[in-house]
Amino acid sequence: MMLHRYARTGVCLVLLLLVLSGCRKKEWDAYYGRPDNLAPPIYQTLQARGNFTHMLACIDKSGYKENLSNGGYWTLFAPNDAAFELFFKEHNISGDAGIDSVMAAKIVRYALVYNAYRKADLGNGQTAIGPDTSMAFKRKTAYYDWVQPENGKLIVASNLNGGFNPDDNNNKYIPYFLDNFLAFNGLSATDYNFFYPTSAYKGFNVANAAVINADIAAENGLIDEIDRVILPLPSLEDYLKDKPQYSEFRKLLSKVISYQSNADITIRNQALTGKSDSVFVKYYDAGGVLGLAFGLNNENFVLAGTDAQKDGWGLVIPTNAALIPYEQKILAHYKTFDAAPPEVLISLLNAHMWQTSIWPSKLAQTPNSEQELPTFALGDVVDKQVCSNGFFYGIKKVQDANVFRTIFGKPFLDPAYSLMTRALSTDIKFSILNPDGKYTMVMMSNKNLLAAGYDYDFDHSEWTYTAPGGTTGGGASAESRLYRILKTSVFVTQNGELDNLSGSGIVASWEDEYVKYKNNTLFAGGNEDEGSVVTIDSIVKTVNGNVIYVNGVLKFSEETMGHHLAILAADDPDNYSSFFEYLKNSNLWQSGTETVFGLTPGSPNTLFVPTNAAIITAVKSGLLPGDIVTGEPNFKPGDNDDKQTVVNFINYHILNKNTVVTDGKKSGAFVTMLKTIDGDLTFINIENQPGHIVLKDINGGSSNLINAHSNHLGDRSVIHSIDRVLNFNVH
């Protein structure tokens, strides 16, 4: 009886514990349990809606049923049954049975976007400081290709430009188009329909599909119902490889592709497949000095911890029919890309690559990776495609790169001018690439540069110069000389100043060195010094000016202004001898170096020299020391005031750090070498018309430049003859 009583007591205790446990579970469920009003997971929500039977079949085949029936945080772009029926018809597929597990996985994984976004939030990019409103039009999906066979090896696409991150699977992105994104970026439905001409824009489209119902809530994300099935979009590389009309461009790209084995990916692939074959990362030569603008197989336009993309690459490819003749033109001298400098091929490729999305309405204003505007129009587009990592345009003409079509292209594409190309590339290349400028360039062949003493030492990476009869020197001095003759050979000619060289004239080169022309010959100061001219062989037009082929090199003068004045005093005494006598007897004259005190040799200066007759008139007026009756100058005055007068006279006739010639370019007030007793500057006002200069002094007097005896060139200096002494007296 006692045992029976204990048994009854035990049963009661068990029942009591069960009651208490049940109560606690109810309390737990009430507080922590799944709310009754919570929407079911994505998979069950699709089931409940009843018009996603085909999508559910794909989910089952893809192995994603469990993922979408449980946790997670997704946005699913789900094609409805009508979308699948259209898909079956377009692809000649016999219903769900015609879709294998591979295709099913492509459809499901590319429809799955990481994280759940309402329509209102899809357009937001992500930044370190918060959402970037209305800027995103692509999101990362669950789909990626990873290891693939190619040309007898296993490869994986690069996922960075110029690098590779083994922890990034190079996931594809899916594009979508929203009203707020289009409005924010100044776009319209026309931009969408350019790529999708058979799809109506409804304000919320995903690729070529329209969203029928947005923001369908599920426990593990959001569903957007769409009216078309979307297969993973090809990358730019994938789209290009399947088009025979672009095979020539693909052949050029193959020259810059490299493969590098990756131990990390090889080990991971072996674990998944059991195969020990090495896996290679496929690189486009991107990111280096001579690299491509981007890798065509890189899905990550921006990789910075964000699954949103507000931009993408742009690839513009000419058809074979357009590209092959263009190649023949730019390779007229080198014949092949292998024989040409690597920069030629890279320049051609990069001209067709944009580091931004090329929206059709903004095509004309969107520069390529070289910051050059398109040389083609929408009418030249014969093929277009939104790819997973950018926009593709097939065109029936070539994007004409500035390095080929401007004056720079003539030396760049000719091995006979490789030294000139090297010099231009390290100095003024990017200035003369401007297609809207107007330039003239005198070509400097390797042959002529070597004859003038200039060469490049590749072993020491420096320019060298060999003086006539002297030794060879390198370093900064040789480089400075080389760049100086280079800049003496390039001219800004906005008004066609050198279009006609049959007459005579003078024109400023790149840094105000001056060059003269006469009867189709050219000569700079150094050529004048040695009594030579550069004869013209031919002139070729480019998009931004002319290049002149010649038989020599334009040389700068290495003689001082004082040296040239001494020669002029002997050769043209009526115009220069009296002024020189005043100068050489003053304390300004440095006879040993033939320089003028206060002037830095090699710095720009202009000397206006009054004729002998003008000086006689000035003596008679008492402006200069001498006999006021006869006008005979006193070149060696003993009086200190007269000595200072001569110094003031000379200094006032020299422009300080400036050169002016009869080209009509420079007018206005110019500082002279003369300063007042208080240290103030003095000026000459110059009225400059082509072929005629009038000088006005500080006292209102004027003097005319005598053209026939002017424009004498020295070391960055110019000497002119004038018909009147400028009144230099400061009141």
Side-chain angles (χ1 to χ4, degrees), residues 212-341:
I212 304 302
N213 289 300
D215 299 342
I216 301 170
E219 179 183 357
N220 54 350
L222 292 165
I223 302 167
D224 292 315
E225 179 183 351
I226 58 177
D227 64 358
R228 283 182 177 271
V229 176
I230 305 172
L231 290 172
L233 294 179
S235 67
L236 292 166
E237 178 189 65
D238 291 335
Y239 186 78
L240 180 61
K241 74 171 60 168
D242 294 330
K243 300 294 184 292
Q245 64 268 39
Y246 309 121
S247 61
E248 183 65 18
F249 198 90
R250 275 203 316 275
K251 183 178 75 174
L252 299 183
L253 281 170
S254 69
K255 294 178 179 292
V256 298
I257 290 174
S258 63
Y259 299 90
Q260 184 176 337
S261 61
N262 186 282
D264 195 2
I265 301 299
T266 298
I267 292 170
R268 288 166 57 187
N269 188 62
Q270 183 177 3
L272 290 171
T273 66
K275 297 180 180 179
S276 59
D277 306 65
S278 292
V279 179
F280 296 81
V281 179
K282 181 181 180 181
Y283 292 101
Y284 288 82
D285 182 22
V289 175
L290 295 177
L292 291 189
F294 57 86
L296 276 64
N297 56 359
N298 177 12
E299 299 284 357
N300 297 303
F301 178 79
V302 174
L303 186 60
T306 174
D307 59 14
Q309 297 283 2
K310 64 181 181 181
D311 211 340
W313 316 116
L315 186 62
V316 177
I317 306 299
T319 61
N320 296 344
L323 180 56
I324 292 173
Y326 185 82
E327 288 180 45
Q328 293 170 345
K329 182 177 73 170
I330 65 174
L331 295 174
H333 296 288
Y334 281 108
K335 305 305 180 186
T336 67
F337 284 108
D338 292 336

Side-chain angles (χ1 to χ4, degrees), residues 27-36:
E27 292 174 0
W28 176 276
D29 288 344
Y31 191 80
Y32 293 105
R34 186 178 185 276
D36 294 335

Side-chain angles (χ1 to χ4, degrees), residues 165-461:
N165 178 4
D167 296 323
D168 182 90
N169 291 327
N170 212 26
N171 295 61
K172 283 186 178 291
Y173 287 76
I174 191 168
Y176 49 86
F177 305 87
L178 295 160
D179 284 338
N180 60 347
F181 173 82
L182 297 182
F184 185 89
N185 291 280
L187 306 171
S188 70
T190 303
D191 291 281
Y192 174 83
N193 288 125
F194 179 80
F195 292 108
Y196 302 109
T198 62
S199 298
Y201 177 67
K202 299 294 183 64
F204 185 8
N205 287 53
V206 183
N208 64 332
V211 176
I212 304 302
N213 289 300
D215 299 342
I216 301 170
E219 179 183 357
N220 54 350
L222 292 165
I223 302 167
D224 292 315
E225 179 183 351
I226 58 177
D227 64 358
R228 283 182 177 271
V229 176
I230 305 172
L231 290 172
L233 294 179
S235 67
L236 292 166
E237 178 189 65
D238 291 335
Y239 186 78
L240 180 61
K241 74 171 60 168
D242 294 330
K243 300 294 184 292
Q245 64 268 39
Y246 309 121
S247 61
E248 183 65 18
F249 198 90
R250 275 203 316 275
K251 183 178 75 174
L252 299 183
L253 281 170
S254 69
K255 294 178 179 292
V256 298
I257 290 174
S258 63
Y259 299 90
Q260 184 176 337
S261 61
N262 186 282
D264 195 2
I265 301 299
T266 298
I267 292 170
R268 288 166 57 187
N269 188 62
Q270 183 177 3
L272 290 171
T273 66
K275 297 180 180 179
S276 59
D277 306 65
S278 292
V279 179
F280 296 81
V281 179
K282 181 181 180 181
Y283 292 101
Y284 288 82
D285 182 22
V289 175
L290 295 177
L292 291 189
F294 57 86
L296 276 64
N297 56 359
N298 177 12
E299 299 284 357
N300 297 303
F301 178 79
V302 174
L303 186 60
T306 174
D307 59 14
Q309 297 283 2
K310 64 181 181 181
D311 211 340
W313 316 116
L315 186 62
V316 177
I317 306 299
T319 61
N320 296 344
L323 180 56
I324 292 173
Y326 185 82
E327 288 180 45
Q328 293 170 345
K329 182 177 73 170
I330 65 174
L331 295 174
H333 296 288
Y334 281 108
K335 305 305 180 186
T336 67
F337 284 108
D338 292 336
E343 296 92 335
V344 176
L345 174 60
I346 295 298
S347 295
L348 176 62
L349 296 176
N350 275 345
H352 294 85
M353 303 177 79
W354 270 251
Q355 292 176 316
T356 187
S357 300
I358 314 171
W359 296 98
S361 65
K362 296 182 179 296
L363 171 66
Q365 297 84 39
T366 306
N368 64 10
S369 66
E370 301 296 302
Q371 297 305 303
E372 299 168 359
L373 293 176
T375 61
F376 65 95
L378 284 180
D380 299 310
V381 177
V382 296
D383 183 16
K384 68 268 190 185
Q385 176 74 24
V386 176
C387 295
S388 57
N389 58 346
F391 291 168
F392 179 94
Y393 287 78
I395 56 174
K396 62 184 179 182
K397 64 183 297 187
V398 174
Q399 167 69 15
D400 202 0
N402 289 346
V403 291
F404 302 143
R405 64 179 179 146
T406 62
I407 60 173
F408 178 79
K410 295 307 176 183
F412 181 48
L413 296 172
D414 192 338
Y417 294 87
S418 60
L419 290 175
M420 184 179 188
T421 300
R422 175 175 292 276
L424 287 169
S425 296
T426 55
D427 203 332
I428 60 175
K429 169 185 174 179
F430 294 103
S431 296
I432 63 174
L433 286 180
N434 177 13
D436 297 321
K438 184 69 182 296
Y439 309 98
T440 299
M441 185 165 70
V442 178
M443 298 288 279
M444 303 191 306
S445 69
N446 295 351
K447 176 183 176 181
N448 289 334
L449 281 173
L450 291 171
Y454 297 94
D455 199 0
Y456 189 79
D457 183 347
F458 288 91
D459 291 335
H460 297 90
S461 300

Side-chain angles (χ1 to χ4, degrees), residues 506-527:
I506 186 169
V507 62
S509 65
W510 194 258
E511 288 186 344
D512 272 358
E513 297 272 8
Y514 286 95
V515 174
K516 299 180 188 179
Y517 62 89
K518 184 176 183 180
N519 297 333
N520 290 308
T521 64
L522 298 165
F523 45 100
N527 302 106

Side-chain angles (χ1 to χ4, degrees), residues 662-723:
T662 56
D663 59 359
K665 298 289 186 181
K666 296 180 180 179
S667 294
F670 291 81
V671 177
T672 76
M673 290 293 296
L674 175 63
K675 291 185 178 180
T676 68
I677 194 171
D678 295 323
D680 296 330
L681 301 176
T682 62
F683 299 85
I684 298 173
N685 193 71
I686 298 178
E687 298 173 358
N688 192 350
Q689 297 294 326
H692 182 60
I693 285 180
V694 176
L695 310 176
K696 293 191 175 180
D697 60 43
I698 52 180
N699 292 290
S702 63
S703 178
N704 297 293
L705 187 142
I706 304 171
N707 287 346
H709 300 277
S710 293
N711 295 322
H712 299 288
L713 303 177
D715 183 9
R716 298 190 190 275
S717 62
V718 184
I719 303 175
H720 300 296
S721 175
I722 57 176
D723 65 1

Side-chain angles (χ1 to χ4, degrees), residues 87 112 141 209 253 272 364 395 525 541:
F87 179 74
L112 272 176
T141 72
L253 281 170
L272 290 171
I395 56 174
K541 292 184 179 298

